[in-house]
Amino acid sequence: MTARELDSAGITDPALRAAYRRCRQLNAAHGRTYFLATRLLPADRRPAVHALYGFARWADDIVDAMEPDGEDGPRGTRLAALQRQLHDGLRQGGGDEPVVLALADTARRHAIAHHYFTDFMAAMRSDLEVTDYATYADLRGYMHGSAAVIGLQMLPVLGTVVPHEEAEPHAAALGVAFQLTNFLRDVGEDLDRGRVYLPADLLAGHGVDRELLRRCRDTGRQDRRVVAALREFEALTRRVYREAEPGLAMLDPLSRPCIRTAFILYGGILDAVARDGYAVLHRRAVVPRRERATVAADGLVRVLAARLRHWSRPAPPRIPTRPTPPAGPARQAPPAASASPASPSPQARPAPPATPARPVSEEVA
């Protein structure tokens, strides 16, 4: 993380600066699409976004470790230790784990409700035991913690021009749209980890089950039934993007280009999957570099235009954040009956920045 970003955010403590830098490294290494979009945020908001991503990435890496018992101990033990560090960090500040230190500082600065992090950790724990989902409603219950709350965590950092309650359903839906996109892109990799995130009833409607997915993965062959199921899952995901889209105009104008860029880039992954013939069991679909560069350049133009308007006339008021309520037990996910493939309910995973320190073309590369 650049000194300018940390200085802009008012982060002066050496230990905190090092913690935020660690989160930025995680974002740059693992979240290419997310990191590129984050470069379009105002400099003072980037550290918080990196902290939110860094913590989520850290927890996710524990859960997704291919070897359940690593050199640091079993995944459940490591996740429980992270949960304790999170609990202490949110209440007392400080801590030895850099991602927790940065996250706790971000939660305090932006008054982010603590139950969002509790719900996220509950979803991470479920990943250690749950390997598939019978229905889309069941999957949405899981994604409340794994994705929807990520979008809700972001709102106080991004700022809105409407009351937060009005923007929250769209922010939650955007997080869910991003995660559904990841599920479609990563079907093969998730299968290798023993997980199938595509709902069993959706698969069964096309004559697909885990065994058929495994056979296609192992043999490298396509199956028209699998392709049909993946196409339906893509259509379901696009409906969630449409659900999220109205929230873009509700964001602070200075944050809007960042989220719009992420919205387009993640949607581009769906396009890449379709262009590749839904071969996600065999390889990961990738958005071409030229396309990423074009979207990023458009985002930069929008950033400059937003700043020009901001400097030339009073900007719409940024709705202040609400006080952080006391942390308590994890909230229950929305009732399963409220979600269905025909009309997905809002839920959330991330993404999210000011003029890049380097040329956009260099960032894309």
Side-chain angles (χ1 to χ4, degrees):
M1 184 168 301
T2 66
R4 183 174 70 87
E5 291 171 350
L6 294 167
D7 293 342
S8 297
I11 300 168
T12 58
D13 179 77
L16 267 179
R17 289 170 75 92
Y20 276 103
R21 286 193 182 97
R22 174 58 179 149
C23 292
R24 185 183 188 277
Q25 291 169 356
L26 289 169
N27 192 351
H30 298 284
R32 290 177 53 194
T33 299
Y34 191 84
F35 182 73
L36 178 60
T38 304
R39 297 290 298 167
L40 299 175
L41 276 176
D44 63 335
R45 300 182 203 180
R46 293 181 213 165
V49 172
H50 291 314
L52 294 174
Y53 179 92
F55 178 82
R57 180 78 256 177
W58 192 258
D60 202 48
D61 282 349
I62 291 175
V63 171
D64 284 347
M66 295 300 288
E67 293 296 330
D69 297 335
E71 61 181 20
D72 296 324
R75 291 179 300 177
T77 301
R78 284 176 280 159
L79 201 61
L82 182 62
Q83 175 76 65
R84 290 191 297 272
Q85 293 169 332
L86 173 66
H87 180 277
D88 294 341
L90 289 175
R91 284 160 178 73
Q92 304 168 12
D96 297 327
E97 178 53 62
V99 296
V100 174
L101 183 61
L103 180 78
D105 184 67
T106 290
R108 179 186 62 80
R109 289 172 184 266
H110 296 278
I112 301 173
H114 291 180
H115 67 79
Y116 291 150
F117 305 110
T118 304
D119 291 355
F120 171 76
M121 291 301 293
M124 294 299 98
R125 288 195 301 274
S126 76
D127 259 335
L128 297 179
E129 302 174 356
V130 180
T131 60
D132 52 40
Y133 296 87
T135 68
Y136 180 64
D138 294 331
L139 181 64
R140 287 298 290 251
Y142 161 75
M143 288 192 296
H144 164 71
S146 66
V149 298
I150 304 295
L152 296 172
Q153 292 167 19
M154 289 285 295
L155 271 188
V157 178
L158 300 174
T160 62
V161 294
V162 299
H164 277 202
E165 293 80 2
E166 186 176 343
E168 283 172 351
H170 304 291
L174 187 59
V176 167
F178 289 168
Q179 187 167 59
L180 288 172
T181 301
N182 289 341
F183 287 161
L184 180 60
R185 181 195 63 192
D186 300 338
V187 170
E189 296 173 22
D190 288 331
L191 189 62
D192 290 342
R193 296 186 180 100
R195 302 193 199 114
V196 176
Y197 288 106
L198 278 61
D201 61 349
L202 183 152
L203 294 174
H206 298 277
V208 179
D209 56 17
R210 181 188 286 258
E211 288 68 29
L212 179 57
L213 294 175
R214 185 73 260 173
R215 186 159 64 249
C216 290
R217 174 75 166 168
D218 291 342
T219 63
R221 295 179 179 175
Q222 284 277 60
D223 186 292
R224 59 178 179 77
R225 294 168 292 176
V226 172
V227 171
L230 295 173
R231 186 179 289 115
E232 181 180 345
F233 192 79
E234 177 207 355
L236 181 157
T237 302
R238 291 189 186 278
R239 290 198 292 272
V240 183
Y241 273 97
R242 290 195 293 271
E243 183 182 333
E245 189 170 12
L248 299 179
M250 299 178 183
L251 296 174
D252 181 339
L254 294 180
S255 297
R256 211 173 289 161
C258 157
I259 304 304
R260 181 182 181 277
T261 297
F263 184 93
I264 295 172
L265 288 175
Y266 270 91
I269 295 174
L270 296 179
D271 298 334
V273 168
R275 282 196 304 268
D276 199 31
Y278 301 92
V280 290
L281 279 168
H282 315 302
R283 54 186 173 270
R284 172 180 281 213
V286 177
V287 178
R289 179 175 295 183
R290 179 175 297 180
E291 183 177 332
R292 287 166 51 85
T294 299
V295 174
D298 178 71
L300 180 57
V301 170
R302 291 174 182 272
V303 165
L304 296 176
R307 290 179 180 174
L308 183 60
R309 290 192 297 270
H310 180 74
W311 292 331
S312 62
R313 66 175 185 268
R318 185 181 178 196
I319 303 299
T321 56
R322 298 179 303 241
T324 304
R331 288 188 175 180
Q332 296 299 314
S338 66
S340 69
S343 58
S345 62
Q347 312 280 99
R349 212 161 201 208
T355 305
R358 293 176 288 175
V360 169
S361 59
E362 184 178 345
E363 285 299 330
V364 172

